[in-house]
Amino acid sequence: MLAWGANANAQLGGLLNKVKQKVKDKVEQKVDRTIDKVTDGAENEVDNTVNDAVKGKDKGKRGKKDGTVTEDASVAQSKSDFVQGAVVLFEDNFAGEQLGEFPSKWDLDGGSVEVAQIGDRKVAKFTQNGTLFPLMKKNQYNYLPEEFTIEWEVYIANKGEGMNHEFRLMNKEEGINTHNDQCAWIAIWYRPNDRAARVFWNCQKPGQGSTEGEQNMDGKLKSGWNHFALSFNQRAFKLYVNGERLCNVPNMLAPKYMEYESTDSEGYPYSCISNVRIGQGAVALYGRNAGDIDKAMAETGKFVTNNILFDTGKATLKPGSMAEIQKVADYMKKNPSVRFEVQGHTDNQGSDKINDPLSQQRAEAIVKALASMGVDDFNLKAVGKGSHEPVADNKTEEGRAKNRRVEFVKR
């Protein structure tokens, strides 16, 4: 029995050693494969970077193994330069509308649109192919100024449904050579089943020709509400989706009015829109930079901006505000001893009971955003001023727009 036991133990020990060796071999093979993948990826990245340099491509781009191109943070920041037009020409969130009725601030050219409810928000929902356009006090076909921004939100269902949505900037002037009077055409095409999501655009140049393009939006268009915005400044057109700039067209025919369209393609539901806003003013042709803050601080000891924007009645920062906040963050990192009182100011619309705490909450939201960018919040103090320190006449929309501001005051 003793001999048998010794023999069994020897066999068991040998088996365990074989198991250990097998495990060791498997682990080593897996590690080798992982190293190979990492090495291959690194080699490809080096090759792509070298190739880009040889071909004279943009220095801010780096090649990846799959052939796509990513951009450095310094380049990406410039893609969030949207600045909302300060003077409101038209605004509608459909809040006061009756469900099932046609929205009162709009008109229709064919098709059918009605007010519907999605969650706690009322929307304009297309129920048939049609074209929707806002009712304006000025000439219906001539109300957009030389500089303007337009914002709207489009809903994408989270039940695997697709969507088609179109937006057009138009000009009906005699002698204007456009396709069906279009200055710009934007189409949003979403197909969840085959993971296809794209945004297309076509911008008419003065005279002949057009500039067109498309952007793959897989992972960028999301279930729920998506924010779209555009800016036109005399000749330059920019399009943004959820705070990211998609296109920057330097020369486009000046439009005079706008319209939405929804089409039932391949059996997908019609689109829903909400929070439409047309503002006078636009993103500057050549944007502001951190030097503006240096100059303002040297001359006045404070930096005043109307380019940090919030959702109406809330302390939620709009995506387009982050570029301006980033400039302040860059200044504070360059000047680490500087301390700011971050002052939130409102116009006189609404009561002090609402405006005072709202301005405080907005100032706190800016401090939080700066801290997330690496600024030491010890050097920041949030102060809500409400409407108590106006810098312009609150009787005009232009004056109220100036009063809705943020001040970074050195302390």
Side-chain angles (χ1 to χ4, degrees), residues 81-289:
D81 63 344
F82 179 76
V83 178
Q84 188 180 64
V87 179
V88 178
L89 301 178
F90 179 87
E91 194 168 26
D92 195 7
N93 63 3
F94 307 100
E97 302 288 353
Q98 184 175 340
L99 293 176
E101 295 295 329
F102 185 83
S104 61
K105 294 183 180 180
W106 298 79
D107 202 349
L108 190 66
D109 184 8
S112 177
V113 174
E114 62 184 35
V115 178
Q117 183 103 18
I118 297 178
D120 60 354
R121 185 187 302 197
K122 287 185 177 178
V123 305
K125 179 181 180 181
F126 284 85
T127 56
Q128 292 180 14
N129 292 356
T131 302
L132 184 69
F133 52 92
L135 289 170
M136 304 297 291
K137 294 179 181 178
K138 292 178 66 176
N139 184 322
Q140 184 62 48
Y141 300 112
N142 185 17
Y143 56 83
L144 291 175
E146 286 187 345
E147 299 180 6
F148 65 86
T149 60
I150 300 176
E151 299 172 76
W152 72 99
E153 295 185 351
V154 178
Y155 185 77
I156 293 179
N158 57 7
K159 299 178 181 178
E161 296 177 344
M163 181 268 297
N164 296 296
H165 176 79
E166 294 184 13
F167 172 87
R168 290 193 291 263
L169 291 171
M170 312 289 285
N171 190 324
K172 275 186 177 292
E173 286 186 31
E174 282 189 40
I176 294 295
N177 181 20
T178 68
H179 176 64
N180 296 328
D181 303 321
Q182 288 180 182
C183 298
W185 169 80
I186 300 163
I188 304 157
W189 192 76
Y190 181 70
R191 299 288 183 272
N193 295 333
D194 54 5
R195 297 179 56 79
R198 306 192 79 79
V199 173
F200 306 84
W201 61 87
N202 184 295
C203 301
Q204 180 73 34
K205 294 180 179 180
Q208 298 289 332
S210 63
T211 300
E212 62 183 23
E214 63 180 89
Q215 177 71 46
N216 187 332
M217 298 298 292
D218 287 347
K220 295 180 180 179
L221 287 178
K222 58 189 180 181
S223 295
W225 290 103
N226 292 263
H227 183 266
F228 287 78
L230 61 87
S231 170
F232 182 83
N233 189 331
Q234 301 175 53
R235 57 178 175 76
F237 171 84
K238 298 180 179 182
L239 172 66
Y240 306 80
V241 178
N242 292 328
E244 179 183 346
R245 193 178 71 213
L246 292 192
C247 75
N248 187 1
V249 177
N251 194 18
M252 188 186 91
L253 183 70
K256 298 296 183 182
Y257 67 102
M258 56 152 279
E259 60 188 29
Y260 295 105
E261 184 175 13
S262 186
T263 58
D264 178 17
S265 175
E266 303 174 28
Y268 287 107
Y270 299 101
S271 61
C272 298
I273 61 172
S274 185
N275 285 349
V276 180
R277 184 188 189 276
I278 307 174
Q280 184 170 353
V283 178
L285 287 178
Y286 298 97
R288 300 169 60 182
N289 54 49

Side-chain angles (χ1 to χ4, degrees), residues 38-55:
V38 173
T39 305
D40 290 344
E43 289 174 352
N44 284 335
E45 183 163 0
V46 170
D47 289 342
N48 288 337
T49 304
V50 172
N51 289 337
D52 285 353
V54 172
K55 294 176 182 177

Side-chain angles (χ1 to χ4, degrees), residues 52 57 60-64 66-71:
D52 285 353
K57 293 184 178 179
K61 298 183 178 180
R62 294 176 178 170
K64 292 174 68 177
D66 60 3
T68 61
V69 174
T70 58
E71 300 190 356

